[in-house]
Every structure is written in C-alpha cells, then in structure tokens.
Amino acid sequence: MEKALWYLLAGTRGGTTRAKLIRSLSERPRNANQLSESLDIDYNTVRYHLDLLVEHDIVEKGEEGYGTMYFLTDRFEQHRDQFETILKQIE
C-alpha cells in the first residue's frame, strides 16, 4: 500500500487532487457529483481520479447505479498513517 500511495500522491500529476478526494471521503462517503461540487473539480476529472483510487484499493464503490457512493477501503484505513506521512513530506 505504501508504494501505491507514493505513486498516486507524489509520483504522478494529479496527486494533490487525489489527496483532496481522499480527505473528502474521510469526512463521509460521497458520490462523484458531490465530490465535484464540494471540491470545485470538474466531474470527469473526479471520475478519472476515483477510478485510479479504486484500481489501487484505496477507494471502493458502493452499489452500482446512479449516484454510486464511494468509500475508503478498510485496507486504506489500516495504512492511513502512511498517507499522512507522505502528505507531510510532499507539501
């Protein structure tokens, strides 16, 4: 998980956007539209980054369909300290 977090947050463009999405989902589950509106990020950009976070087992989808909710995975929660450490090092 640590390697995936380094890659997603510091190794590629878009790391700050992904960090914002993770922070927002830490507050409560949201759908892509809610994330787009609350963070003032284009909807398609949000969807792109959510797909990457899902692919790397940081975020998981709720039931498929209109307004699909996104949640942080239990695996991510077990590595939250690494997320915080990485953010401190790259900010």
Side-chain angles (χ1 to χ4, degrees):
M1 174 64 74
E2 184 176 4
K3 289 178 186 178
L5 288 170
W6 271 107
Y7 170 74
L8 291 168
L9 301 173
T12 60
R13 280 183 36 193
T16 55
T17 299
R18 289 186 280 274
K20 288 177 186 178
L21 292 171
I22 292 169
R23 288 256 189 246
S24 185
L25 292 172
S26 293
E27 295 170 6
R28 68 179 180 87
R30 300 173 197 261
N31 65 37
N33 190 53
Q34 291 168 329
L35 288 164
S36 173
E37 289 178 2
S38 68
L39 299 173
D40 195 29
I41 300 172
D42 179 72
Y43 176 81
N44 289 326
T45 301
V46 168
R47 289 296 310 268
Y48 170 78
H49 291 290
L50 285 172
D51 288 345
L52 280 175
L53 294 170
V54 167
E55 181 181 329
H56 287 89
D57 200 27
I58 294 169
V59 171
E60 62 186 335
K61 293 180 181 184
E63 289 188 30
E64 293 285 334
Y66 179 77
T68 299
M69 299 294 282
Y70 290 85
F71 305 83
L72 295 175
T73 64
D74 291 340
R75 184 169 176 233
F76 171 81
E77 294 294 354
Q78 293 171 353
H79 295 88
R80 180 178 287 279
D81 291 343
Q82 292 173 339
F83 169 73
E84 299 296 339
T85 300
I86 291 167
L87 283 187
K88 286 178 186 173
Q89 292 181 28
I90 62 175
E91 291 179 334

